[in-house]
Amino acid sequence: MLRLPRITRTLSFRLSLTLLSALATLLIVALGIMFYFSRKAVKEEASLKATQTLEATQQRIDNILLSVEQSAGNIYLNILNHIDQPEKMDTYCRKFVEGNPYSNGCAIAFEPDFYQDHPNLIVFYRKSGIKDADGKEVLVEAKTESGLPYYKQTWYISTLEKRVPDWLEPREDNATNGEPVTVFTLPIYINEKKAGVMAAGVPLNLLSKIVEDAKPSPNSFCALLGEDGSYIVHPDTSKLNYRNVFSLKSPTAKEAAKAMMAGETGYKKFKQNGENYYVFYKPFERSVAPGRSMEKLNWSIGIIYPEDDIFGDYRRLHYAIITIAAVGLLLLLLLCYTFIHRQLLPLRMLSLSAQHIAEGHYDERIPDTRQQDEVGRLQKDFQHMQQALNLRVGEMEQLTQTLEERGKELQAAYELAQSGDRMKTNFLYNMSNQMISPINEICSSVKEFRDQIGNMTEDTNKELVDNILTQGEKITSMLQQLLNESEKKKDTTENTELVI
């Protein structure tokens, strides 16, 4: 059978453990409530920061888009005003690329039969990333090499069909030098006749770098998704080449992406590469500006938090508080045990004294105490009880000794009485034996006197009478001796009773 250590069976340990259990219960409840509301507050704070960051990031991205839109709009007006001068289109295209820091290229393309002298006119310039001696970035005249004529490509056809300015989904081809871009397009119509399309590209890497520092925590980042789930903004530029968020393998990440694509506002938790994340998202909304086309883009913007960024400090504080609480409870248990152990020392002393008293050590001294509490009063009462018990035990021992002495005397008297009875019996037996002969003599003489009363002589008669008298005197003497012995026995018995 398993036996607990000796210390765990002591009253002081059990009292300390009971007190600790009550305090631990209260502490657990208090910490549970505190952790619940703290976690709730942390999540609300993260949500508030995410909302503010989303608004600020959306504004920064929208400012870039608006800058491109306004620059493109200015060039667009020049194109419309000089539509009959196709030679100026090259100048307008270069001017746009040089004047807008956020665009990396511009294309102005016309319908194949719009200019008789310039069939299939398309002007396309992009930035090379190389600067000349004056510090100006060198522009490269680009060509579309998709295998299809430009006027048969999707971006060109869809723009003319929509007949409104629009931002296209991210794309990359030889015309963009393999760099993913999102393109702002403006349809050119002259008197309701299709004339062409102006397109301005914004590199996704540029957008991502601009909003890279818009993060509410060290490891969070912003992501802007297009209508088809393609990345428009992401801090990891390599992901911009994935083309689509649904290429992710995590089912929970895809669920979050679907919610974003549905135009919802809120947050979701998902797991990616073994780590937990929170994504706070909302539809991307452009600000209203004079002359701006406000067609819905169906983009969605989100802030992705690693869970440790939100709850990392909370968890560390959580573990620190639990550790401190555990250490504190252990120290409290030790202090309570030490204090209660010291307070119960008189009880242990009284327990040992009671055990010694039970073993017959009634004269063991119980020390005095200065304590005024219940234990002190118990010790004083126990001391008085021990003194009274010792006194009573002493009296009982003295009485026992007296009774033993009286018993010895009674035993002696009893033995003396027994001896007297035996002597009396022997005496009576002897006296009876001695009296038998005289009585027989008397009886014989009386019988003889009766039988021969008429024939007896005077001498014979006298002789019989003398014999009867002699034998009667013997019997009388014996009886007197018996009476004397009886008086002696009576006196001895009375003296014995007086002694007792």
Side-chain angles (χ1 to χ4, degrees), residues 271-370:
K271 193 169 186 178
Q272 178 73 16
N273 298 327
E275 295 186 14
N276 292 323
Y277 294 88
Y278 281 86
V279 55
F280 297 84
Y281 50 85
K282 59 171 291 188
F284 182 83
E285 299 175 355
R286 295 185 293 171
S287 59
V288 178
R292 188 179 194 184
S293 177
M294 297 302 296
E295 283 72 23
K296 192 174 182 180
L297 299 179
N298 293 323
W299 291 359
S300 182
I301 187 170
I303 294 290
I304 294 88
Y305 277 95
E307 189 177 38
D308 191 61
D309 278 17
I310 299 177
F311 299 110
D313 291 338
Y314 166 81
R315 286 198 187 103
R316 287 185 282 273
L317 179 62
H318 188 176
Y319 297 145
I321 290 176
I322 290 177
T323 302
I324 292 172
V327 173
L329 289 174
L330 290 177
L331 290 177
L332 180 62
L333 176 62
L334 179 61
L335 291 175
C336 288
Y337 175 76
T338 303
F339 176 77
I340 296 175
H341 180 79
R342 294 187 63 182
Q343 292 297 313
L344 295 182
L345 283 176
L347 289 181
R348 279 188 290 276
M349 182 270 296
L350 294 177
S351 176
L352 291 175
S353 298
Q355 184 177 355
H356 290 166
I357 290 174
E359 293 173 353
H361 306 284
Y362 303 107
D363 57 345
E364 181 173 340
R365 183 178 178 276
I366 297 176
D368 298 330
T369 180
R370 295 182 180 179

Side-chain angles (χ1 to χ4, degrees), residues 185-296:
T185 59
L186 295 96
I188 303 173
Y189 276 80
I190 305 298
N191 297 324
E192 298 299 321
K193 180 183 179 182
K194 296 179 182 180
V197 174
M198 177 183 176
V202 178
L204 302 188
N205 289 343
L206 175 64
L207 286 177
S208 297
K209 289 178 181 179
I210 289 175
V211 300
E212 185 177 2
D213 58 345
K215 52 173 62 178
S217 66
N219 300 306
S220 62
F221 58 90
C222 175
L224 180 63
L225 302 182
E227 184 177 6
D228 61 352
S230 57
Y231 288 110
I232 299 175
V233 169
H234 197 285
D236 186 358
T237 56
S238 64
K239 292 185 179 295
L240 300 175
N241 297 322
Y242 287 174
R243 304 293 298 169
N244 198 291
V245 69
F246 296 108
S247 62
L248 297 174
K249 296 181 180 180
S250 171
T252 53
K254 290 182 180 179
E255 289 296 325
K258 288 179 181 179
M260 294 178 68
M261 295 299 95
E264 298 178 5
T265 298
Y267 74 91
K268 282 188 178 295
K269 183 178 180 180
F270 68 93
K271 193 169 186 178
Q272 178 73 16
N273 298 327
E275 295 186 14
N276 292 323
Y277 294 88
Y278 281 86
V279 55
F280 297 84
Y281 50 85
K282 59 171 291 188
F284 182 83
E285 299 175 355
R286 295 185 293 171
S287 59
V288 178
R292 188 179 194 184
S293 177
M294 297 302 296
E295 283 72 23
K296 192 174 182 180

